[in-house]
Amino acid sequence: MKSLLDNARTFPVKVAERRQEFRDLAAGQAPQALFITCSDSRVIPSLITGARPGELFELRTAGNIVPRYDADRPSGETATIEYALRVLGVRDIIVCGHSHCGAVGALVRGEDLSAVPAVRGWLERAVPEPPDTDDLAEAVRRHAVAQLGTLGQYPAVRDLRAKGRLSLHAWYYEVDTGAVSAHLPESDGEFAPL
């Protein structure tokens, strides 16, 4: 914790060195993409993409899960997606799964999650059918693609895609190598290196 506190204390000096950049950020945001990924601390969207402050609007959830859209029971996730599309006007959504994913791994292995009932409930509601493979990497890739299907049910996503103003992408990030691959939409679940 000490290193985090030390950096927070000295951060204003770093901001002062880049004063105009941070003044521009204070004036508003116009991110290029919504990046939906896992809450896992090893997955750092700006590090993976090289994005500068203000270039990515991030949504992090356990297992990079996109919950079903329900206007009668909105969630923070659905609100974030709707805001990114309707207010910020993002033109791309990336759902990024990753190697060594604990949430998808728990599903693949059929783990007993009774000690973490909120996690169990989140996974059961969002992923009613566990991946039909024992290969964790394959399960994570399929899971990321499945989240694109869920996104396709969001009214804002349907509307913007129909107008040709939104593209959806599924990525897979390997924590130990840094390699990123992307789903080939015309394929049957294939991913290719970026």
Side-chain angles (χ1 to χ4, degrees), residues 6-132:
D6 289 345
N7 191 67
R9 286 185 188 110
T10 61
F11 191 64
V13 173
K14 295 172 187 170
V15 170
E17 292 168 358
R18 297 165 43 191
R19 178 163 283 136
Q20 189 56 50
E21 178 184 355
F22 281 87
R23 282 185 179 156
D24 292 344
L25 289 171
Q29 61 176 321
Q32 296 176 27
L34 170 60
F35 198 97
I36 301 173
T37 195
C38 188
S39 302
D40 191 301
S41 63
R42 300 168 293 181
V43 181
I44 305 161
S46 60
L47 188 61
I48 295 166
T49 64
R52 309 263 314 144
E55 292 180 338
L56 287 180
F57 198 64
E58 296 180 22
L59 173 57
R60 299 181 67 129
T61 69
N64 55 272
I65 291 170
V66 175
R68 289 181 196 89
Y69 185 85
D70 183 348
D72 294 329
R73 297 182 67 194
S75 67
E77 296 85 10
T78 58
T80 298
I81 294 164
E82 190 171 77
Y83 187 83
L85 297 174
R86 298 287 192 199
V87 177
L88 298 177
V90 300
R91 307 263 331 225
D92 291 275
I93 299 177
I94 300 159
V95 176
C96 185
H98 67 95
S99 65
H100 309 90
C101 182
V104 176
L107 293 171
V108 167
R109 294 183 293 272
E111 291 180 4
D112 176 11
L113 299 174
S114 58
V116 284
V119 173
R120 182 185 64 219
W122 171 249
L123 294 175
E124 286 174 353
R125 270 194 316 281
V127 189
E129 294 183 31
D132 60 351

